[in-house]
Coordinates of all heavy atoms in Angstrom, one line a residue:
E1 N 116.7 -70.3 89.0 CA 117.2 -69.5 87.9 C 117.7 -68.1 88.4 O 118.6 -67.5 87.8 CB 116.2 -69.2 86.8 CG 115.8 -70.5 86.1 CD 114.8 -70.3 85.0 OE1 114.5 -69.1 84.7 OE2 114.4 -71.2 84.3
D2 N 117.2 -67.7 89.6 CA 117.5 -66.3 90.1 C 117.3 -66.4 91.6 O 116.2 -66.6 92.1 CB 116.6 -65.3 89.5 CG 117.0 -63.9 89.9 OD1 117.9 -63.7 90.8 OD2 116.3 -62.9 89.5
F3 N 118.4 -66.2 92.4 CA 118.3 -66.3 93.8 C 117.4 -65.1 94.4 O 116.7 -65.3 95.4 CB 119.7 -66.2 94.5 CG 120.6 -67.3 94.2 CD1 121.8 -67.2 93.5 CD2 120.3 -68.6 94.6 CE1 122.6 -68.2 93.2 CE2 121.1 -69.7 94.4 CZ 122.3 -69.5 93.7
A4 N 117.5 -64.0 93.7 CA 116.7 -62.8 94.2 C 115.2 -63.0 94.0 O 114.4 -62.4 94.7 CB 117.2 -61.6 93.4
A5 N 114.8 -63.9 93.2 CA 113.4 -64.2 92.9 C 112.8 -65.3 93.8 O 111.6 -65.6 93.7 CB 113.2 -64.6 91.4
V6 N 113.7 -65.9 94.6 CA 113.3 -67.0 95.5 C 113.6 -66.6 97.0 O 114.7 -66.2 97.3 CB 114.0 -68.3 95.1 CG1 113.6 -69.4 96.0 CG2 113.7 -68.6 93.6
D7 N 112.6 -66.8 97.8 CA 112.9 -66.7 99.3 C 113.5 -68.0 99.8 O 112.9 -68.8 100.5 CB 111.6 -66.4 100.0 CG 111.9 -66.0 101.5 OD1 113.0 -66.0 101.9 OD2 110.9 -65.6 102.2
W8 N 114.8 -68.2 99.4 CA 115.5 -69.4 99.7 C 115.7 -69.6 101.2 O 115.8 -70.8 101.6 CB 116.7 -69.6 98.8 CG 117.8 -68.5 99.1 CD1 118.0 -67.4 98.4 CD2 118.8 -68.6 100.1 NE1 119.1 -66.7 98.9 CE2 119.6 -67.5 99.9 CE3 119.2 -69.6 101.0 CZ2 120.7 -67.2 100.7 CZ3 120.3 -69.3 101.8 CH2 121.1 -68.2 101.7
R9 N 115.9 -68.6 101.9 CA 116.1 -68.8 103.4 C 114.8 -69.4 104.0 O 114.9 -70.2 104.9 CB 116.4 -67.4 104.0 CG 117.8 -66.9 103.5 CD 118.1 -65.5 104.1 NE 119.4 -65.0 103.7 CZ 119.5 -64.3 102.6 NH1 118.5 -64.0 101.8 NH2 120.7 -63.8 102.2
R10 N 113.6 -68.9 103.6 CA 112.4 -69.4 104.1 C 112.3 -70.9 103.7 O 111.9 -71.8 104.5 CB 111.2 -68.6 103.6 CG 109.8 -69.2 104.1 CD 108.7 -68.4 103.4 NE 108.6 -68.8 102.0 CZ 107.9 -69.8 101.5 NH1 107.2 -70.6 102.4 NH2 107.8 -70.1 100.2
L11 N 112.5 -71.1 102.4 CA 112.4 -72.5 102.0 C 113.5 -73.4 102.6 O 113.1 -74.6 103.0 CB 112.6 -72.5 100.4 CG 111.6 -71.8 99.6 CD1 112.0 -71.8 98.1 CD2 110.2 -72.5 99.8
G12 N 114.7 -72.9 102.8 CA 115.7 -73.7 103.5 C 115.3 -74.1 104.9 O 115.4 -75.3 105.3
R13 N 114.7 -73.2 105.6 CA 114.2 -73.5 107.0 C 113.1 -74.5 107.0 O 113.1 -75.4 107.8 CB 113.7 -72.2 107.6 CG 113.4 -72.3 109.1 CD 113.0 -70.9 109.7 NE 114.1 -70.0 109.7 CZ 114.1 -68.9 108.8 NH1 113.2 -68.7 107.9 NH2 115.2 -68.1 108.9
L14 N 112.2 -74.4 106.0 CA 111.1 -75.4 105.9 C 111.6 -76.8 105.5 O 111.2 -77.8 106.1 CB 110.1 -74.9 104.9 CG 109.2 -73.7 105.3 CD1 108.4 -73.3 104.1 CD2 108.4 -74.0 106.5
I15 N 112.5 -76.8 104.6 CA 113.0 -78.1 104.1 C 113.9 -78.8 105.1 O 113.8 -80.0 105.2 CB 113.7 -77.9 102.7 CG1 112.7 -77.4 101.7 CG2 114.3 -79.3 102.2 CD1 113.3 -77.0 100.4
E16 N 114.7 -78.0 105.8 CA 115.7 -78.6 106.7 C 115.0 -79.6 107.7 O 115.4 -80.7 108.0 CB 116.4 -77.5 107.5 CG 117.3 -78.1 108.6 CD 117.7 -77.1 109.7 OE1 117.3 -75.9 109.6 OE2 118.5 -77.5 110.6
A17 N 113.8 -79.1 108.2 CA 113.1 -79.9 109.3 C 111.9 -80.5 108.7 O 111.0 -80.9 109.5 CB 112.8 -78.9 110.4
H18 N 111.8 -80.7 107.4 CA 110.6 -81.4 106.8 C 110.4 -82.8 107.3 O 111.4 -83.5 107.6 CB 110.8 -81.4 105.3 CG 109.5 -81.6 104.5 ND1 109.0 -82.9 104.5 CD2 108.7 -80.8 103.9 CE1 107.9 -82.8 103.7 NE2 107.7 -81.5 103.4
A19 N 109.2 -83.2 107.5 CA 108.9 -84.5 108.1 C 109.4 -85.6 107.2 O 109.6 -86.7 107.7 CB 107.4 -84.6 108.3
Q20 N 109.6 -85.4 106.0 CA 110.1 -86.5 105.1 C 111.6 -86.7 105.2 O 112.2 -87.6 104.6 CB 109.7 -86.2 103.6 CG 108.2 -86.4 103.4 CD 107.9 -86.3 101.9 OE1 107.0 -85.5 101.5 NE2 108.5 -87.1 101.1
F21 N 112.3 -85.8 106.0 CA 113.7 -86.0 106.3 C 113.9 -86.2 107.8 O 114.0 -85.3 108.6 CB 114.5 -84.7 105.9 CG 114.6 -84.5 104.4 CD1 113.8 -83.6 103.8 CD2 115.4 -85.2 103.6 CE1 113.8 -83.4 102.4 CE2 115.5 -85.0 102.2 CZ 114.7 -84.1 101.6
P22 N 113.8 -87.5 108.2 CA 113.7 -87.8 109.7 C 115.0 -87.4 110.4 O 114.9 -87.1 111.6 CB 113.5 -89.3 109.7 CG 114.0 -89.8 108.4 CD 113.7 -88.7 107.4
A23 N 116.1 -87.3 109.8 CA 117.4 -86.8 110.4 C 117.7 -85.4 110.1 O 118.8 -84.9 110.3 CB 118.5 -87.7 110.0
H24 N 116.6 -84.6 109.5 CA 116.8 -83.3 109.0 C 117.8 -83.3 107.8 O 118.4 -84.4 107.5 CB 117.3 -82.3 110.0 CG 116.2 -82.1 111.1 ND1 116.3 -81.0 112.0 CD2 115.0 -82.7 111.4 CE1 115.2 -81.0 112.8 NE2 114.5 -82.1 112.4
T25 N 118.0 -82.2 107.1 CA 118.8 -82.2 105.9 C 119.5 -80.9 105.7 O 118.9 -79.8 106.1 CB 118.0 -82.6 104.7 OG1 118.8 -82.7 103.5 CG2 116.9 -81.5 104.4
N26 N 120.6 -80.9 105.0 CA 121.2 -79.7 104.5 C 120.4 -79.3 103.2 O 120.0 -80.2 102.5 CB 122.7 -79.9 104.2 CG 123.5 -80.2 105.4 OD1 123.2 -79.8 106.5 ND2 124.6 -81.0 105.2
V27 N 120.3 -78.1 102.9 CA 119.6 -77.6 101.8 C 120.4 -76.7 100.9 O 121.0 -75.7 101.4 CB 118.3 -76.9 102.1 CG1 117.4 -76.7 100.9 CG2 117.5 -77.7 103.2
E28 N 120.6 -77.1 99.6 CA 121.4 -76.3 98.7 C 120.5 -75.7 97.6 O 119.7 -76.5 97.0 CB 122.5 -77.1 98.1 CG 123.6 -77.4 99.1 CD 123.3 -78.7 99.9 OE1 122.7 -79.6 99.4 OE2 123.7 -78.7 101.1
F29 N 120.6 -74.5 97.3 CA 119.9 -73.8 96.2 C 120.9 -73.6 95.1 O 121.9 -72.9 95.3 CB 119.2 -72.5 96.7 CG 118.2 -72.8 97.7 CD1 118.5 -72.9 99.1 CD2 116.8 -73.1 97.4 CE1 117.6 -73.2 100.0 CE2 115.9 -73.3 98.3 CZ 116.2 -73.4 99.6
V30 N 120.7 -74.1 93.9 CA 121.7 -74.2 92.9 C 121.3 -73.5 91.6 O 120.2 -73.7 91.1 CB 122.0 -75.7 92.5 CG1 123.1 -75.8 91.5 CG2 122.3 -76.5 93.8

């Protein structure tokens, strides 16, 4: 709902290399 209220860069870094994405993933915050 608000980009400023979310540390989306930290989350993006964590999700990109998450173990459940074996080929890694692009991450979009919408």
Side-chain angles (χ1 to χ4, degrees):
E1 294 185 1
D2 183 0
F3 294 118
V6 178
D7 189 354
W8 61 268
R9 295 176 180 87
R10 179 187 71 87
L11 294 173
R13 189 178 293 107
L14 289 174
I15 297 171
E16 175 198 359
H18 196 283
Q20 288 188 236
F21 293 101
H24 291 195
T25 184
N26 298 330
V27 189
E28 289 84 35
F29 297 86
V30 185

